[in-house]
Amino acid sequence: MENNATEKPHKAGFVSIIGKPNVGKSTLMNVMVGEKLSIITSKAQTTRHRIMGILNSDDFQIVYSDTPGIIQPQYELHESMMRFVHASLEDADVILFVTDIYEKHDESEVVERLRKAKAPILLLINKIDQATQEEVVAKVEYWKEQLPAHEYLAISALHSQGTNGVFQKILDLLPEHPAYYPKDELTDKPERFFAAEMIREKIFLNYKKEIPYSCEVVLEEFKEDDTIIRMRAEISVERKSQKGIVIGDKGAALKKVGTQARLDMEEFFGKKVFLDLYVRVNENWRADKRLLDRFGYNSL
């Protein structure tokens, strides 16, 4: 005779990772999911979309959302990015508000949004590996005065320090609910999205100043068979002068980006990749609603 009383209830819910640019949200997301889903660079504002990473077990499903850093919008692109943030706050069962040890008391806009949030907040002070214990304690006390939260936790996402504790707190707070996605799914995004993100990451790593922020990547072709994936990707820039910089002398800069991205793709997809890159000028695409629709920014 089966004893159903001993079975654990199934928990499921949405966990939104919120914060200013460059505080380590993407690093935290990748650690919590156990896969590299969000691109990580030392430059701010690398995340432009809401990226969901799904962690599954027999008795729980946690749907993490990595979101763009909260900023004052300057372009239509930024408006779209902030809509992703607002949507993730509205459907969150738990909010991870990530700040860091370097926070300069300029988070008032974020704090105001979070005061109105209905979900419990875990306030995470990141990058504590770069601080003294006294600095960490002082930062925790500062945040206790600034924002009511369910808990205040000091972590280092880069070194997975304190992240197990965050995971346990999330599990405690999640409601009992059936899984929202099939248990074998890792993310809500298609494979071609991650291929484009890998290219965009290499652009951030290889170019300086405004160039990475002026580039967008779209997969025009994604054909897969048993042994190889063939991709054709378009890199959009805003001005003709930027096109020359992205391509580089005799195509060397673009070739370097393509080679680096292809190697990451082969590791991610587990098979050979043929990648064809080209560059197109789409003037002022960051302010063009039609192009932003094409690039997937106006669909929540």
Side-chain angles (χ1 to χ4, degrees):
M1 181 175 170
E2 290 185 11
N3 183 7
N4 292 328
T6 61
E7 289 184 11
K8 280 187 178 181
H10 189 278
K11 290 189 163 193
F14 293 85
V15 177
S16 294
I17 305 174
I18 303 292
K20 298 274 279 188
N22 230 23
V23 294
K25 298 185 300 298
S26 295
T27 301
L28 179 64
M29 158 90 152
N30 293 341
V31 168
M32 299 306 281
V33 177
E35 295 280 349
K36 185 180 177 185
L37 297 179
S38 292
I39 65 175
I40 301 168
T41 78
S42 60
K43 296 182 174 72
Q45 295 178 42
T46 51
T47 301
R48 289 179 180 167
H49 291 264
R50 179 184 182 181
I51 301 170
M52 291 188 185
I54 305 168
L55 185 65
N56 292 296
S57 180
D58 289 342
D59 54 3
F60 70 79
Q61 182 179 80
I62 304 175
V63 185
Y64 291 100
S65 287
D66 185 18
T67 61
I70 295 179
I71 55 173
Q72 287 286 355
Q74 294 177 300
Y75 302 92
E76 182 63 29
L77 169 65
H78 292 163
E79 298 280 1
S80 297
M81 288 162 59
M82 292 307 97
R83 284 195 286 273
F84 291 134
V85 175
H86 300 157
S88 73
L89 280 172
E90 286 171 9
D91 64 24
D93 294 293
V94 180
I95 295 169
L96 303 185
F97 172 43
V98 186
T99 181
D100 68 26
I101 205 70
Y102 300 111
E103 180 273 324
K104 299 295 184 186
H105 302 183
D106 63 349
E107 310 240 12
S108 57
E109 185 185 354
V110 186
V111 170
E112 282 309 307
R113 293 182 193 279
L114 291 173
R115 284 187 196 280
K116 300 171 186 174
K118 297 175 183 175
I121 298 167
L122 298 178
L123 194 150
L124 310 183
I125 299 167
N126 193 23
K127 305 181 184 178
I128 61 167
D129 53 299
Q130 302 171 28
T132 65
Q133 183 62 28
E134 290 76 14
E135 289 171 325
V136 172
V137 170
K139 195 63 73 174
V140 170
E141 292 305 313
Y142 165 78
W143 277 111
K144 284 182 177 178
E145 294 178 5
Q146 296 300 310
L147 180 67
H150 182 82
E151 196 122 7
Y152 304 82
L153 302 166
I155 67 166
S156 170
L158 185 64
H159 298 288
S160 300
Q161 183 181 348
T163 52
N164 281 341
V166 175
F167 168 73
Q168 289 300 327
K169 298 293 181 187
I170 291 168
L171 269 188
D172 291 343
L173 291 169
L174 280 188
E176 291 184 20
H177 197 281
Y180 288 94
Y181 295 91
K183 284 294 186 99
D184 59 351
E185 284 196 16
L186 179 64
T187 180
D188 66 323
K189 291 281 190 279
E191 290 180 326
R192 60 195 303 148
F193 171 85
F194 292 103
E197 286 289 273
M198 289 176 209
I199 297 167
R200 203 164 62 82
E201 179 183 55
K202 302 313 173 190
I203 292 170
F204 266 91
L205 293 173
N206 283 285
Y207 301 95
K208 298 178 181 178
K209 298 181 180 177
E210 183 64 14
I211 293 295
Y213 300 99
S214 298
C215 290
E216 184 55 64
V217 180
V218 174
L219 262 288
E220 297 287 323
E221 187 177 284
F222 187 102
K223 294 182 178 178
E224 182 174 7
D225 61 31
D226 291 340
T227 58
I228 193 169
I229 306 173
R230 300 180 187 278
M231 300 184 210
R232 185 168 180 265
E234 172 191 296
I235 300 172
S236 285
V237 295
E238 291 192 301
R239 298 189 299 276
K240 190 174 180 180
S241 59
Q242 294 171 342
K243 180 176 180 178
I245 295 170
V246 171
I247 293 172
D249 185 34
K250 297 178 182 177
L254 188 62
K255 183 178 180 182
K256 184 178 180 183
V257 166
T259 299
Q260 291 177 349
R262 179 179 55 78
L263 292 172
D264 276 8
M265 290 174 186
E266 289 179 344
E267 183 178 351
F268 186 82
F269 293 113
K271 61 176 64 177
K272 297 293 290 182
V273 169
F274 175 81
L275 176 61
D276 182 21
L277 286 180
Y278 68 101
V279 185
R280 171 178 290 174
V281 179
N282 280 309
E283 291 189 5
N284 299 319
W285 66 262
R286 286 184 287 181
D288 188 322
K289 287 187 177 181
R290 179 183 58 82
L291 285 171
L292 289 169
D293 283 344
R294 181 187 163 217
F295 297 158
Y297 285 103
N298 292 331
S299 58
L300 292 177

